[in-house]
Amino acid sequence: MIIGVDRYANLPPLPGVRNNLKALKAALTDRTIGGMPKKNCRIVSNPRTVTAALKPIEEAVRAARDTLIVYYAGHGFLDSRPEGLYLTLPGTEPGKVHSGIPYTWLSSALGTRTPPKRRIIILDCCYSGSVIRRMSVGTMSGTMSTAAATQQASSQLGEALFEGMDSLEGVSYLLTSTPWNVEALAPEGEEHTAFTGEFLRVLREGIPGPGPESAAANPAAAPPPHDHLSLEAIYREVRRALREKNRPLPQQQAQNGIEKLPFVRNRAARPAPPPGQTSQTDRTGESGESGPPGQNGRPGTPGEPGQASDVGSSGSAGTASPSGPPGTARSPVSPAPPAPEAVKARKVRRRALISVLCVAVVATAVPAAVWWQSRDDEPSSGACSDDVALIGHSDALNGVEYEGAVPVDGLSGLAMSGPSRAWALADNTPGRIFDLDLGTSGAAPPAARAVHLRTLRPTGGGRFDGEGLVLEKGGRTVLVASEAGPSIRRFRVSDGAETGRIELPRNLVEWAGPENLEALGASPDGRYLYAGMEAPLFRDGKARGRSLLRIQRFKGTPGGAYVPDKQFAYQSAAGLRVSELVAMGGDRLLVLETNHAEGQGNAVRVFGADLSRAKDVSQVASLQSEPVDAFAKKWEPVDLVTCPRGAAATAQPQSNPLLENAEGMALGTAPLASGPYKGRLPLFIVSDNNNSPHQITRVYALAIRTGRTGTGSGTGLGTEARTGTEARTGATAGAG
């Protein structure tokens, strides 16, 4: 069963999916690849209802006796309900789960008590890895590192999604295009989606063995390619190719060793003929006269050349039959000349991505082993964009313990307490605030160190997870945004005691998901507080991969009462979440947007946002119905991937080793008085290492150009370089 949706009424079209369906059927029914009878391979394109999508699967289950393959490609989205992943239909609407198909329904349609013996599911959509239950090392056939599995297990959202699910109930093998928190890609200018394009390439071209020179030099270490490919071999080759292109990495899960059985013929296999003979296979591609042991009906080892797999041998519905008719075994065929589409697929294009196969995103950081260290001669400072330069970065806090007892890690919030001093909030339990000496006013690279520690004492019970920090005017109290709850709490600096809370609007509490209140900032005069949501409310959802978020403004006085004032709509960049915001005055903000994707690394971008002309959406039930001009105006001062690499080390694959899991951000209190960036304001960012040895606690010092207005072209930050608080008010900023 090959199911795909490429045309949508409310979501972006996916022309690559249409190409996927035809090409996959052609490969599976090609006698030199899959050998499946065409009558047993059915395409279901753009099913309009749940019944139209699932009924063909139920019919295939009744007809198949040996192996059933179900492939789905299209948009996918996540929900925090136990169903987790939803597959989409042409009429699916963003944010409305009832308009999609829960994956659990598809899995249920496969049944468990009747033939076929083997059920194979291949999913090419966003967040498809979420159906792999728990993603534990013991059940993943080695597809994830221990570090990644540990991080996955620690994700409370992941636990909520997988609670009560058993993705392999009735399924022998599961292959997904992405990890659980990553968007799938449909690259512009490419014939197929990213994952399926590589999957088809492997089917069409096979997996060659080493070259003749390598084999001659060391025959024992250079075996010839197998004449059949297992699902495991295909998976590893697809994963390798996608990693090289810095694209999302597939995941697999299997039962009973099915992943090691022969699945399709290996088109790259070409056994060497005996000396003095020309292989009949080279001439006709049909003969079984010569070949490795185990061919022509002789026994072999499962997964090794020569053994005919019983996968698909019955020729029943949805069955792949790589070894020919039942009871026969055939020699490998000569590789066919590469098809034009295969040649085209080899060309790596560096183009913008116009589509992601999803309508929602959930993010976490997934660590890996240290793999890259930049050269010492690479610059460690310099321009990142027209308006932002990197002064430098410091890893001096990484792995450090305050007074030899308390790890300085989990830093998620940052607030300036002086030109070169900042308070950093740790999100682990119990909540702590570290007083940091940054070692610079921004004119030289930072050399951060922790000089004091304050332990917070929340009241009222329940979990506390501090993410956003505001140092109130006067320095006697701090405000902390807790994701758990959610809540905004005030703490006394002298003893860390909680002294009160700020009431949140009802919709931010009742409709918030596991990733909610993340960012907190105050205007320079303390009159306004701004609280930002990390992920959309359940009713808001996404539009074309972009989170539809809310920023709540409160009005009050520092140390006194704050009450909800206005609510603004904010749209994140595709695939990113809001980690922090800085209020500059005049309803203008700097917004830190980040994400992490396994195999791709971190994304860290800073946006300017002008809320002054955005609609008050306090009474709007869902942002899905709001026009684009109701949202905050945005521009992008900097994407940190463009900053100099310097001597930065990284603990995981990154497009720029400088990047880490940035979560806290604060704007300096005065313009730089010296150095190459004199007159600019310093901007400090701190990363959260998630209490993991596989990530780094890093402090960044940036210099931002002021004096120009923020515009849609991405220049300026909407402030003027004057002095002190006045420089931060942004009173002369344009509309953005």
Side-chain angles (χ1 to χ4, degrees):
M1 293 303 309
I2 301 176
I3 305 170
V5 181
D6 64 271
R7 298 194 303 270
Y8 291 90
N10 307 293
L11 300 171
L14 296 171
V17 168
R18 180 170 61 252
N19 299 331
N20 289 356
L21 307 188
K22 297 176 181 178
L24 186 57
K25 179 175 181 178
L28 292 178
T29 57
D30 187 322
R31 64 184 181 85
T32 68
I33 303 177
M36 180 190 301
K38 290 185 178 180
K39 66 179 181 179
N40 291 352
C41 188
R42 180 178 177 184
I43 291 178
V44 178
S45 179
N46 296 307
R48 295 199 165 275
T49 65
V50 174
T51 299
L54 299 186
K55 187 175 180 180
I57 296 176
E58 295 171 345
E59 293 172 349
V61 169
R62 290 192 294 269
R65 291 296 177 266
D66 190 281
T67 300
L68 173 65
I69 303 171
V70 176
Y71 167 92
Y72 170 85
H75 285 298
F77 64 91
L78 280 180
D79 186 74
S80 62
R81 295 169 176 80
E83 287 79 6
L85 180 70
Y86 283 75
L87 311 178
T88 55
L89 299 168
T92 295
E93 299 182 49
K96 296 184 179 180
V97 295
H98 62 271
S99 61
I101 306 175
Y103 166 79
T104 51
W105 291 10
L106 183 151
S107 180
S108 177
L110 291 176
T112 58
R113 301 181 181 276
T114 60
K117 297 176 183 178
R118 302 171 184 86
R119 298 165 172 85
I120 297 171
I121 293 183
I122 302 173
L123 300 177
D124 188 359
C125 63
C126 285
Y127 322 119
S128 50
S130 64
V131 303
I132 294 180
R133 189 172 189 262
R134 306 285 182 194
M135 291 191 182
S136 64
V137 177
T139 58
M140 284 294 294
S141 300
T143 61
M144 292 187 70
S145 66
T146 301
T150 300
Q151 178 64 24
Q152 172 65 40
S154 69
S155 170
Q156 293 203 354
L157 177 58
E159 293 298 317
L161 287 172
F162 305 142
E163 186 67 31
M165 286 180 59
D166 188 350
S167 62
L168 285 190
E169 181 68 26
V171 180
S172 303
Y173 182 81
L174 185 56
L175 178 61
T176 69
S177 60
T178 72
W180 78 272
N181 66 321
V182 177
E183 298 171 335
L185 299 180
E188 180 183 6
E190 296 188 17
E191 186 175 5
H192 303 287
T193 58
F195 164 77
T196 299
E198 293 299 336
F199 188 83
L200 288 167
R201 178 188 62 80
V202 176
L203 295 185
R204 291 164 172 164
E205 300 177 13
I207 303 176
E213 297 82 4
S214 300
N218 190 359
H226 293 173
D227 62 340
H228 287 81
L229 297 178
S230 65
L231 287 163
E232 170 78 10
I234 295 171
Y235 160 77
R236 293 196 179 279
E237 171 61 18
V238 170
R239 186 177 174 94
R240 180 203 62 77
L242 290 171
R243 185 187 293 278
E244 284 187 356
K245 296 180 179 181
N246 199 31
R247 291 178 173 179
L249 300 181
Q251 310 290 309
Q252 72 167 354
Q253 192 172 30
Q255 286 182 337
N256 303 322
I258 185 176
E259 77 280 11
K260 301 185 184 301
L261 294 174
F263 180 65
V264 294
R265 292 181 178 275
N266 184 2
R267 268 189 162 183
R270 184 189 296 267
Q277 279 189 299
T278 302
S279 170
Q280 185 68 14
T281 301
D282 287 339
R283 295 195 300 268
T284 67
E286 298 292 339
S287 174
E289 293 297 325
S290 63
Q295 292 179 354
N296 300 316
R298 293 190 297 273
T301 302
E304 294 295 320
Q307 180 173 5
S309 169
D310 62 350
V311 176
S313 60
S314 71
S316 52
T319 302
S321 190
S323 302
T328 66
R330 294 158 52 183
S331 298
V333 297
S334 300
E341 53 266 37
V343 175
K344 182 179 179 181
R346 291 196 200 104
K347 299 178 182 178
V348 181
R349 300 186 179 97
R350 298 296 183 184
R351 296 188 181 182
L353 299 173
I354 58 170
S355 272
V356 289
L357 280 64
C358 56
V359 290
V361 65
V362 186
T364 188
V366 185
V370 174
W371 72 283
W372 191 89
Q373 176 81 32
S374 63
R375 299 194 310 270
D376 291 338
D377 59 350
E378 294 189 37
S380 57
S381 63
C384 305
S385 68
D386 291 341
D387 297 287
V388 178
L390 176 69
I391 299 170
H393 75 276
S394 171
D395 295 347
L397 295 176
N398 191 53
V400 170
E401 292 186 346
Y402 175 73
E403 294 187 346
V406 180
V408 183
D409 58 14
L411 305 184
S412 296
L414 198 64
M416 300 303 297
S417 57
S420 187
R421 295 290 286 268
W423 290 7
L425 173 70
D427 64 359
N428 42 26
T429 302
R432 300 185 178 100
I433 295 178
F434 294 96
D435 188 353
L436 304 182
D437 182 350
L438 300 178
T440 178
S441 60
R449 63 188 182 96
V451 297
H452 192 65
L453 168 66
R454 297 169 176 84
T455 299
L456 303 180
R457 295 175 173 81
T459 61
R463 194 168 68 90
F464 174 76
D465 181 11
E467 296 289 349
L469 176 68
V470 164
L471 173 59
E472 292 196 272
K473 195 172 182 179
R476 296 186 179 88
T477 54
V478 294
L479 295 172
V480 176
S482 171
E483 191 171 51
S487 62
I488 299 176
R489 312 184 189 200
R490 177 176 281 123
F491 294 90
R492 195 163 48 231
V493 170
S494 59
D495 59 4
E498 181 179 331
T499 62
R501 302 191 184 188
I502 296 174
E503 183 179 359
L504 296 178
R506 185 175 178 180
N507 64 340
L508 298 190
V509 177
E510 294 184 354
W511 292 100
E515 294 174 306
N516 46 65
L517 196 57
E518 180 78 12
L520 189 66
S523 60
D525 59 7
R527 184 183 180 189
Y528 293 109
L529 291 178
Y530 299 86
M533 306 296 287
E534 178 181 15
L537 301 180
F538 286 143
R539 285 186 172 181
D540 292 336
K542 284 198 164 195
R544 301 193 176 188
R546 301 171 184 268
S547 295
L548 306 182
L549 304 171
R550 296 180 188 241
I551 296 175
Q552 176 66 49
R553 191 178 77 180
F554 299 85
K555 188 176 181 179
T557 56
Y562 282 96
V563 295
D565 182 28
K566 291 184 178 182
Q567 216 170 79
F568 302 101
Y570 178 89
Q571 189 177 69
S572 74
L576 301 187
R577 58 186 174 88
V578 168
S579 291
E580 189 60 282
L581 57 81
V582 172
M584 300 187 296
D587 276 339
R588 288 166 176 82
L589 310 175
L590 293 180
V591 183
L592 179 65
E593 296 188 22
T594 64
N595 196 9
H596 180 278
E598 185 187 357
Q600 296 177 287
N602 291 92
V604 182
R605 298 165 69 178
V606 179
F607 290 88
D610 182 1
L611 308 179
S612 62
R613 299 184 184 181
K615 176 181 177 180
D616 181 358
V617 294
S618 301
Q619 304 304 315
V620 175
S622 173
L623 298 182
Q624 289 287 338
S625 60
E626 292 302 301
V628 66
D629 56 1
F631 288 77
K633 307 302 179 185
K634 288 181 62 179
W635 65 98
E636 183 174 6
V638 65
D639 182 341
L640 261 65
V641 75
T642 64
C643 290
R645 295 167 176 255
T650 183
Q652 53 196 316
Q654 299 282 4
S655 51
N656 182 336
L658 183 72
L659 301 178
E660 270 296 328
N661 180 39
E663 291 220 1
M665 182 173 69
L667 193 62
T669 57
L672 302 176
S674 61
Y677 309 115
K678 180 180 178 180
R680 299 192 189 189
L681 280 175
L683 181 69
F684 297 95
I685 297 175
V686 66
S687 70
D688 179 358
N689 72 341
N690 287 312
N691 312 309
S692 166
H694 304 282
Q695 292 179 284
I696 297 173
T697 299
R698 177 168 290 168
V699 175
Y700 305 83
L702 303 169
I704 61 175
R705 188 190 304 277
T706 57
R708 289 195 290 169
T709 61
T711 67
S713 65
T715 60
L717 295 177
T719 62
E720 280 197 343
R722 288 178 282 181
T723 58
T725 301
E726 186 182 17
R728 296 180 57 190
T729 61
T732 62

